[in-house]
Amino acid sequence: MKDVIEALEAKREEARQGGGAARIERQHAKGKLSARERIEVLLDEGSFEEYDMFVEHQCSDFGMDEQKIPGDGVVTGQGTINGRLVYVFSKDFTVFGGSLSKTHAAKIVKVQKAAVMNGAPVVGIFDAGGARIQEGVDSLAGYADIFMENVLSSGVIPQISVIMGPCAGGDVYSPALTDFIFMVKDTSYMYVTGPDVVKTVTNEEVTHESLGGASVHAAKSGVVDGAFENDIEALVQMRRLIDFLPGSNREDPPVRTVYDSAERVEDSLDTLIPPNPNSPYDMRELIEKVADEGDFFEISPKFGANILCGFGRIEGSTVGFVANQPMTLAGVLDIDASRKASRFVRFCDCFNIPVVTFVDVPGFMPGTKQEYGGLIKHGAKLLFAYAEATVPKVTVITRKAYGGAYDVMSSKHLRGDVNYAWPTAEIAVMGAKGAVEIIFRKDLGDEEKIAAHTKMYEDNFANPYVAARKGYIDDIIMPHSTRRRIAKSLRALANKQLENPWKKHDNIPL
Ligand code: HXC
């Protein structure tokens, strides 16, 4: 018996070594952890249950039958994060560059299926060279099997991808199908085709970083939702993110014990809005003062920075915050902001997370760049996302809510459940200047008359009372009581029941 046990332990130890000590050392020298070390940081200590440690590839071409490494380039299994179940796969770059074979894919599909069945998120860690070239079409088939599971799991369980090394070719599309992607600065990159192919096809000279580094995807393309300094920071932040999310669409988001009273009053919010209506202020401050303990997990902070999206809690329950950010482009809605926020609102709606929206929006961004880029369709995405969402929706207009952007930002007309305005709100078709220049065009040049018209417009139209008189705003609230009023609304909405008409699926303007 002792021999048998020792033989098992020896086999396990061989599998744990992956591609061997020298290759693990090379990982470390690049500032990266190994696949197993990453899982250790991500999961609660001692909670990891590994599956398929002894799986080997079945390829015999190119002498591959002579090169078999147990585990076949990916470590898979389940464990817990702060006591809650998650499934995980972590690509092992030390084994054939983490490349994907048929058996490697089958290991990933196994955890994907288990996660759906048992209602738990999947975290995928990527560090790989794409398709296992020796396996040819079997590798392509393996990718498609994973993609299929990604699609079937979408909206059922949260799926999170963390890019911690190369992620190219076939490897990019599984992350792209998941809910959130994060990268590690400097050591990770993501692209469909690498710099050599780019040079051949387009004659462009690019580096890995300038083509697909974190600086590109977290700020320019919007492909990823955040970038971290190193592996450890990224994994610790994933633990924090998972804490906000339910295991599946079959459950409510987790409730955490908090020591921050819902009655907390924030007097400083009464002076958040500057006297000059065109001066910016930091909307993040409002979110942090409203959320429990000021805890806000921001999604895509560097992309579409004119809108803030992220998770926080009110009375211990997760909420999704969406807020125009006057500090960037005056909080205007453009293509990037619309794409970012619509995806976030849809995520919240999939996973029973109420949406709290703070509005200070001068409208949609004008210009050929935006129109040629399809602002109409992208803006419609956000409108669609808010309109179809059946989760509780609480909206607070702090200052500007002009034109179509007023409608879009979780207005009463899109089934906003509770819509508040601060006394500083200006709810109108447009700002006073623009309105007066159109309505009183004949008086342009007469400064006195224009000033009088502007004052009349501001007094009569650029305020929250017109909308409140019509019931489009449920109440005008004091800024300092915003947290208390939102908490009360969410409590009332806790058992909200609302269903959209049956359909196979909708046809959101993609
Ligand atoms: C098999 C691979 C591999 C692959 C790397 N390796 N990529 N083995 N298939 N795709 C192996 C290497 O042979 C090497 O083995 C080890 O992994 C480490 O690779 P290095 O090149 O030494 O590492 P590094 O210098 O860090 O470069 C990493 C890399 C490079 C940039 C990822 O390896 C690379 O360019 N790989 C090929 C990428 C690629 O073209 N993939 C196919 C994409 S097409 P040893 O034994 O020396 O340690 C695709 C289509 C799928 O994915 C579409 C599905 C929808």
Side-chain angles (χ1 to χ4, degrees):
M1 182 67 183
K2 188 162 171 279
D3 292 352
V4 179
I5 291 170
E6 277 174 4
L8 169 63
E9 191 40 49
K11 279 188 183 299
R12 281 187 172 165
E13 190 44 37
E14 187 197 349
R16 284 189 206 108
Q17 284 301 313
R23 287 194 182 91
I24 293 177
E25 202 33 59
R26 280 210 288 278
Q27 270 301 92
H28 291 164
K30 288 179 189 156
K32 303 195 289 182
L33 297 178
S34 72
R36 281 196 161 71
E37 288 164 345
R38 286 168 175 159
I39 290 177
E40 266 171 46
V41 177
L42 178 70
L43 299 179
D44 294 340
E45 200 179 339
S47 72
F48 183 49
E49 292 282 321
E50 187 170 347
Y51 303 152
D52 293 337
M53 185 184 219
F54 304 116
V55 160
E56 293 174 346
H57 70 74
Q58 282 141 35
C59 174
S60 51
D61 294 323
F62 302 100
M64 287 297 278
D65 39 359
E66 303 294 314
Q67 303 176 54
K68 297 212 173 187
I69 300 179
D72 204 28
V74 63
V75 183
T76 60
Q78 48 114 330
T80 57
I81 291 182
N82 290 321
R84 298 170 62 237
L85 180 67
V86 293
Y87 285 84
V88 62
F89 63 88
S90 178
K91 303 224 168 200
D92 187 349
F93 190 77
T94 69
V95 179
F96 308 118
S99 59
L100 186 128
S101 68
K102 193 168 166 47
T103 45
H104 172 129
K107 286 181 66 172
I108 294 175
V109 168
K110 192 189 265 188
V111 289
Q112 289 178 301
K113 282 184 189 288
V116 169
M117 205 157 57
N118 299 314
V122 174
V123 179
I125 299 173
F126 291 79
D127 184 358
R132 176 93 44 90
I133 294 164
Q134 297 88 331
E135 291 221 1
V137 72
D138 267 348
S139 175
L140 305 186
Y143 272 120
D145 291 343
I146 295 169
F147 303 157
M148 193 65 230
E149 288 307 318
N150 284 133
V151 172
L152 293 178
S153 310
S154 182
V156 180
I157 52 165
Q159 301 181 81
I160 297 168
S161 305
V162 199
I163 315 301
M164 298 193 138
C167 182
D171 270 319
V172 298
Y173 282 110
S174 174
L177 293 167
T178 62
D179 297 301
F180 299 110
I181 312 179
F182 297 92
M183 291 180 81
V184 177
K185 292 178 191 168
D186 303 325
T187 51
S188 71
Y189 47 88
M190 251 187 125
Y191 40 63
V192 176
T193 50
D196 294 344
V197 178
V198 171
K199 170 84 182 136
T200 311
V201 177
T202 70
N203 211 25
E204 265 178 297
E205 301 260 3
V206 280
T207 60
H208 293 293
E209 181 61 32
S210 66
L211 185 62
S215 56
V216 171
H217 290 311
K220 290 191 183 132
S221 73
V223 165
V224 313
D225 300 288
F228 300 105
E229 295 300 325
N230 53 50
D231 284 15
I232 304 239
E233 189 196 359
L235 294 163
V236 168
Q237 289 301 321
M238 292 308 100
R239 288 177 61 85
R240 190 172 153 231
L241 173 59
I242 289 280
D243 277 354
F244 284 102
L245 309 180
S248 76
N249 64 348
R250 306 192 285 270
E251 60 182 58
D252 289 330
V255 183
R256 177 189 257 203
T257 310
V258 285
Y259 302 96
D260 190 359
S261 169
E263 298 298 311
R264 174 167 53 79
V265 159
E266 278 290 346
D267 289 324
S268 61
L269 290 179
D270 291 342
T271 50
L272 182 66
I273 304 291
N276 178 348
N278 295 320
S279 296
Y281 61 94
D282 190 358
M283 189 65 101
R284 196 176 278 108
E285 185 179 333
L286 173 57
I287 296 175
E288 287 172 356
K289 285 184 171 160
V290 165
D292 288 352
E293 291 157 5
D295 191 14
F296 177 49
F297 187 99
E298 193 172 346
I299 298 294
S300 297
K302 297 266 191 279
F303 176 78
N306 32 328
I307 203 156
L308 302 168
C309 297
F311 299 106
R313 294 183 186 84
I314 303 270
E315 293 198 274
S317 291
T318 304
V319 299
F321 285 105
V322 179
N324 309 111
Q325 170 57 294
M327 300 284 280
T328 304
L329 300 172
V332 76
L333 284 179
D334 59 3
I335 292 169
D336 292 353
S338 303
R339 273 178 52 202
K340 167 175 157 181
S342 53
R343 198 161 158 71
F344 182 74
V345 169
R346 294 193 103 212
F347 177 86
C348 292
D349 193 44
C350 286
F351 292 105
N352 312 315
I353 298 172
V355 179
V356 173
T357 305
F358 294 132
V359 183
D360 186 348
V361 62
F364 280 98
M365 181 80 144
T368 50
K369 192 168 168 226
Q370 291 288 314
E371 295 292 355
Y372 295 175
L375 177 64
I376 294 170
K377 283 262 176 156
H378 294 292
K381 286 178 185 162
L382 185 54
L383 199 167
F384 200 115
Y386 269 123
E388 72 172 344
T390 56
V391 286
K393 293 185 282 194
V394 179
T395 307
V396 182
I397 300 173
T398 60
R399 191 168 62 175
K400 294 170 190 163
Y402 291 163
Y406 155 73
D407 276 345
V408 169
M409 292 300 296
S410 200
S411 64
K412 187 56 99 191
H413 324 288
L414 302 186
R415 302 189 298 185
D417 293 297
V418 182
N419 291 68
Y420 291 131
W422 284 5
T424 41
E426 301 169 25
I427 306 168
V429 173
M430 60 178 73
K433 186 170 177 293
V436 166
E437 281 173 5
I438 294 171
I439 306 171
F440 301 103
R441 185 167 291 155
K442 64 178 175 17
D443 293 334
L444 286 178
D446 184 335
E447 273 181 32
E448 221 170 90
K449 272 192 178 166
I450 289 293
H453 293 321
T454 304
K455 170 123 186 30
M456 180 278 295
Y457 184 91
E458 281 169 357
D459 290 347
N460 292 308
F461 299 100
N463 60 58
Y465 298 100
V466 182
R469 279 199 292 272
K470 294 173 194 288
Y472 301 155
I473 292 296
D474 296 298
D475 198 6
I476 300 169
I477 64 170
M478 294 303 287
H480 64 245
S481 63
T482 305
R483 172 174 161 85
R484 186 169 63 81
R485 301 296 293 264
I486 292 174
K488 253 190 183 176
S489 301
L490 291 173
R491 235 179 279 147
L493 291 164
N495 295 319
K496 177 181 174 183
Q497 289 194 341
L498 177 65
E499 276 185 22
N500 290 328
W502 186 91
K503 50 185 104 172
K504 189 172 171 194
H505 58 72
D506 58 40
N507 191 15
I508 189 166
L510 293 172

